[in-house]
Amino acid sequence: MNDQPGNVVTQAFAWLAALAAGLGITTQDVVYMIFGLTGVAISIASYINGRLDARRRQKEDEKRTQLLEDYLAALPDKNAAKSPAVVNTVSEVVKRAGGL
């Protein structure tokens, strides 16, 4: 006979079949479980990433709101002649930002 050593893929499937036989289930079921666990891992990672993104967006909105409040609170101290134009500009910017 001509014995040849198996490659990595052959060995991986041999170990997979041995694991399935040891558990008393079919190799097909083990493959389904592996892909199912992969799907669960991707779903969990997506959920965590979405929550982190929402938290980052909320902090950015809070910073923007605080900057706008500070600016509008200091507005009466500024030149009275420029005040109406500045208020109009700020109100337009707020309207555009709200439309995003």
Side-chain angles (χ1 to χ4, degrees):
M1 295 198 114
N2 192 6
D3 290 332
Q4 295 177 356
N7 62 14
V8 175
V9 176
T10 305
Q11 290 294 320
F13 279 112
W15 278 104
L16 183 66
L19 176 69
L23 293 174
I25 55 177
T26 65
T27 306
Q28 182 179 3
D29 291 339
V30 173
V31 172
Y32 284 153
M33 285 184 226
I34 290 171
F35 281 111
L37 289 174
T38 303
V40 168
I42 290 171
S43 296
I44 291 172
S46 175
Y47 174 77
I48 291 171
N49 190 29
R51 295 303 309 153
L52 291 174
D53 189 39
R55 181 178 292 146
R56 189 171 37 249
R57 194 176 317 124
Q58 181 181 3
K59 286 185 179 187
E60 183 179 322
D61 287 344
E62 289 173 359
K63 284 181 187 177
R64 188 180 306 119
T65 302
Q66 186 61 40
L67 287 172
L68 188 59
E69 286 176 356
D70 292 344
Y71 179 76
L72 291 176
L75 196 59
D77 298 338
K78 300 203 186 253
N79 190 351
K82 293 183 180 179
S83 186
V86 171
V87 171
N88 288 338
T89 304
V90 170
S91 67
E92 288 177 21
V93 169
V94 170
K95 287 178 186 176
R96 288 183 193 164
L100 297 176

